[in-house]
Amino acid sequence: MLAAVPLMGGFVVAAFLMGFVAGRRQWLGPAALADRARLRRVFLTGLAIGVPGAVFSAAGLVGPLSERWVLLGLAVGMVAAPALSAAYAAGLLLWFATPRGGATARVLAPAGRMALTNYLTQSLVMALVFSGYGLGLYGRTGAAAAVGGALVLYAGQLALSGWLMRRYRLGPVEWLLRAVTLWAWPRTG
């Protein structure tokens, strides 16, 4: 496990740097988003690389392959994950351009505008439900109950995010983060 820490740390740094390059080169800028043929190519290429890589990774880590495949499965999974992520992103962008996808995007957008607030809220609620310093339900509920609870929490967050974003520009944690990074009180409305 200790040997995996530098590997994972390097992977995280590489992912951040890739995101930085993507932002600087406007890979998801307005021109790129309008190029549906390019998005389809990214989607299909990402699936062609990512799905087989993810299947092999799963087979090596938890599937039918023996323990000697674990390290290779982990490495293949790390290499294939960005391709699969690109396929997810391109597929969603293509779908959001459709009438039904656009309606879904409008429902999800407020939660995206306050993603850090929602992420921290989910972490806090789930920690309080499942950890020993909360209700201690880890291992005492089935998967269906955990997934159901997560979906109920997310539905509540979608509703609250929509309500908040109609009234304010930023979520509470986003407002605090902006105040700290800019060292000034951000506008609220």
Side-chain angles (χ1 to χ4, degrees), residues 107-108 110-111 118 153-163:
V107 171
L108 297 175
N118 286 324
L153 174 61
Y154 189 63
Q157 286 184 304
L158 284 176
L160 183 61
S161 296
W163 182 81

Side-chain angles (χ1 to χ4, degrees), residues 18 21-29 32-33 38-39:
M18 188 66 159
V21 169
R24 295 284 272 194
R25 294 190 178 177
Q26 293 288 305
W27 288 353
L28 293 177
L33 297 178
R38 180 178 173 192
L39 287 174

Side-chain angles (χ1 to χ4, degrees), residues 52-154:
V55 168
F56 179 78
S57 179
L61 293 170
V62 295
L65 297 178
S66 68
E67 284 186 22
R68 68 183 183 163
W69 292 97
V70 169
L71 190 56
L72 183 59
L74 180 64
V76 168
M78 280 197 207
V79 170
L84 196 53
S85 296
Y88 291 152
L92 284 171
L93 289 170
L94 287 167
W95 183 61
F96 287 155
T98 68
R100 187 172 282 164
T104 303
R106 284 187 292 281
V107 171
L108 297 175
R113 286 181 48 207
M114 49 184 287
L116 183 57
T117 296
N118 286 324
Y119 170 75
L120 293 174
T121 302
Q122 290 167 7
S123 298
L124 178 64
V125 169
M126 292 304 182
L128 290 174
V129 169
F130 291 107
S131 71
Y133 56 85
L135 298 175
L137 295 180
Y138 180 78
R140 295 176 33 202
T141 63
V147 170
L151 291 174
V152 167
L153 174 61
Y154 189 63

Side-chain angles (χ1 to χ4, degrees), residues 177-185:
L177 182 62
R178 182 143 321 160
V180 169
T181 57
L182 297 177
W183 208 244
W185 296 117

